[in-house]
Amino acid sequence: MQLEGKVALITGAASGIGKRIAEVYAKNGAAIAIADLNLAGAQATAKEITDAGGKAIGVAMNVTDEAEVDDGVAEVIKQLGKVDILISNAGIQIVKPIEEFSLAEWKKMLAIHLDGAFLTTRACIKDMYRRGDGGAVIYMGSVHSHEASKLKAPYCAAKHGLLGLARVLAKEGGPKGVRANVICPGFVRTPLVEKQIPEQAREFGISEDEVIRTIMLKDTVDAKFTTVDDVANLALFLAAFETNALTGQSITVSHGWHMQ
Ligand code: NAD
């Protein structure tokens, strides 16, 4: 019960990595706000957690919408009392060569990954600073916060950008006990990645099996996917860490694909 008495707001937690973090945090005693574009999915995840004996609510939130983020965070504070931990995790992927990206697609990617991280951070740290009990902000970066891959220009640009936001928050929040770190996973078989396998096969003119073997797992030490549990366990470690000794960092969980 490493998070007893804590409240965690997790964006994009109706699915994939965010959902598993919500489950692991709830098992460790935290009350969870599942903030997602997909309200039905958020409510379904919240129900699974409460049915298992935990505490969770679903909140409708498009992380790119300033008013929805501010209102959503206010609602979480009204219902759960505070926000101790923010996991900025909502994300999507669009894969294509740079010359084929429309400006609208580029902006959409940056809005979800970067505007979303900024808006949720701003809303949550106001509560953390006001209460004076500190807090933890965790950004879901990626190996693509450090590495590049073909077809992923806006994703790589946005994920690299999260490092800058986290480092500034580490400096500004440090004196107030608010830590900021970035988790950088390798490929995890969530809906976001399942969708990419046929898309990359088409773009590169190779089979889906080749996408997995020659692109996704090529540089890992053991040809294995990272799992939602791997990422959730790291997220638990970071949220439960008690001092500012661990802040402003990015930690990669990728079967050795990227080594810092
Ligand atoms: P997923 O598709 O399973 O889940 C993403 C969730 O985000 C969904 O519930 C979706 O409804 C929500 N979402 C999308 N747009 C939103 C918006 N505008 N506002 C609020 N919610 C929104 O994907 P996942 O693989 O679990 O990805 C979660 C995060 O992990 C993303 O930031 C992704 O970039 C990152 N990541 C994933 C992998 C991977 O291999 N799956 C690797 C590295 C990083």
Side-chain angles (χ1 to χ4, degrees):
M1 297 297 257
Q2 295 179 63
L3 301 179
E4 190 71 62
K6 303 288 186 195
V7 175
L9 189 159
I10 310 174
T11 69
S15 172
I17 291 170
K19 179 174 179 184
R20 190 66 191 136
I21 295 173
E23 291 164 351
V24 168
Y25 276 19
K27 279 203 189 102
N28 277 275
I32 314 294
I34 292 152
D36 206 290
L37 198 56
N38 171 3
L39 178 60
Q43 286 170 333
T45 302
K47 183 167 183 314
E48 284 170 29
I49 289 173
T50 48
D51 286 352
K55 185 165 187 190
I57 58 170
V59 181
M61 186 186 290
N62 177 350
V63 296
T64 69
D65 184 306
E66 187 173 18
E68 266 188 44
V69 171
D70 288 346
D71 293 350
V73 171
E75 182 60 28
V76 171
I77 292 168
K78 192 170 146 209
Q79 289 198 42
L80 301 179
K82 57 181 182 166
V83 178
D84 299 293
I85 303 160
L86 164 66
I87 313 281
S88 171
N89 165 81
I92 63 161
Q93 181 61 282
I94 304 175
V95 291
K96 52 178 70 172
I98 293 172
E99 69 277 14
E100 290 178 18
F101 269 100
S102 66
L103 181 59
E105 287 168 328
W106 170 269
K107 285 187 171 169
K108 181 176 182 186
M109 288 294 288
L110 267 59
I112 294 174
H113 291 274
L114 280 180
D115 296 4
F118 160 67
L119 290 171
T120 51
T121 297
R122 189 181 63 179
C124 291
I125 62 174
K126 282 182 185 166
D127 176 63
M128 293 174 189
Y129 290 174
R130 190 170 44 241
R131 286 184 299 105
D133 284 340
V137 177
I138 298 171
Y139 298 100
M140 199 53 63
S142 163
V143 163
H144 290 109
S145 298
H146 298 280
E147 296 273 354
S149 290
K150 289 176 181 171
L151 310 183
K152 296 190 174 173
Y155 188 79
C156 288
K159 293 299 192 188
H160 276 64
L162 288 176
L163 299 177
L165 175 60
R167 289 167 183 161
V168 173
L169 177 59
K171 292 197 173 192
E172 292 183 3
K176 298 172 178 104
V178 173
R179 295 174 292 107
N181 291 292
V182 185
I183 294 179
C184 299
F187 282 102
V188 182
R189 290 198 87 156
T190 64
L192 179 140
V193 160
E194 295 296 347
K195 180 170 163 283
Q196 275 175 64
I197 297 172
E199 288 172 355
Q200 294 210 25
R202 241 187 340 270
E203 285 287 350
F204 289 123
I206 57 178
S207 71
E208 294 189 14
D209 183 55
E210 282 172 307
V211 170
I212 293 172
R213 278 188 302 104
T214 66
I215 298 176
M216 293 185 165
L217 303 182
K218 177 169 89 59
D219 294 319
T220 59
V221 295
D222 53 6
K224 288 204 164 99
F225 279 96
T226 301
T227 66
V228 289
D229 280 312
D230 294 327
V231 182
N233 289 335
L234 176 56
L236 176 61
F237 171 78
L238 286 173
F241 202 85
E242 286 181 359
T243 71
N244 274 344
L246 184 45
T247 194
Q249 304 304 308
S250 70
I251 302 179
T252 303
V253 54
S254 71
H255 285 258
W257 167 14
H258 175 76
M259 299 190 190
Q260 299 190 51

